[in-house]
Amino acid sequence: MADTVSDRENHGTEPVTDHVHGSAWAADLERPEHAADRELLVEEAITAVENTVKGSLVQLVTHEAHGHPSAYLYEPLEETFGDAVHWEYVCQCNCGGHIVRVEV
């Protein structure tokens, strides 16, 4: 698992999650710090997937500021997890963000 504590210290933000999730959950990646920092959004999306138990899913709710997640999130997910996870685009939220469902 990634060293999320040192990553958070570098960004000075609260983590999107601080524990392992054994059931379906949603990772809120729509906070102002995510709008300002695409790298942070991607980093925390990966941490969210890492903190999801095999057989469960996480919905990554991304900030509208970065547009469709295919432009910046799919490649890092592929590079990090390969075939170990499956993701699919769900929809665009009313607020303008996007939802990507990741099955671990």
Side-chain angles (χ1 to χ4, degrees):
M1 195 178 309
D3 182 5
T4 55
V5 172
S6 63
D7 292 343
R8 286 192 307 274
E9 290 171 356
N10 290 337
H11 293 287
T13 62
E14 289 297 315
V16 70
T17 186
D18 62 359
H19 65 280
V20 175
H21 298 262
S23 60
W25 70 289
D28 177 10
L29 303 168
E30 292 186 293
R31 299 184 304 213
E33 58 266 28
H34 297 115
D37 189 343
R38 181 186 283 182
E39 182 180 310
L40 174 64
L41 188 154
V42 170
E43 178 182 296
E44 290 200 340
I46 289 170
T47 298
V49 174
E50 290 174 336
N51 285 332
T52 303
V53 172
K54 185 175 181 175
S56 295
L57 64 89
V58 58
Q59 295 196 110
L60 305 174
V61 185
T62 64
H63 199 283
E64 68 177 322
H66 304 294
H68 196 282
S70 63
Y72 62 90
L73 185 57
Y74 293 1
E75 187 175 322
L77 289 173
E78 176 68 30
E79 290 173 355
T80 304
F81 302 106
D83 293 336
V85 302
H86 170 75
W87 65 89
E88 65 181 324
Y89 181 77
V90 176
C91 66
Q92 185 170 18
C93 304
N94 291 336
C95 64
H98 297 269
I99 300 174
V100 176
R101 179 182 299 126
V102 182
E103 297 175 30
V104 178

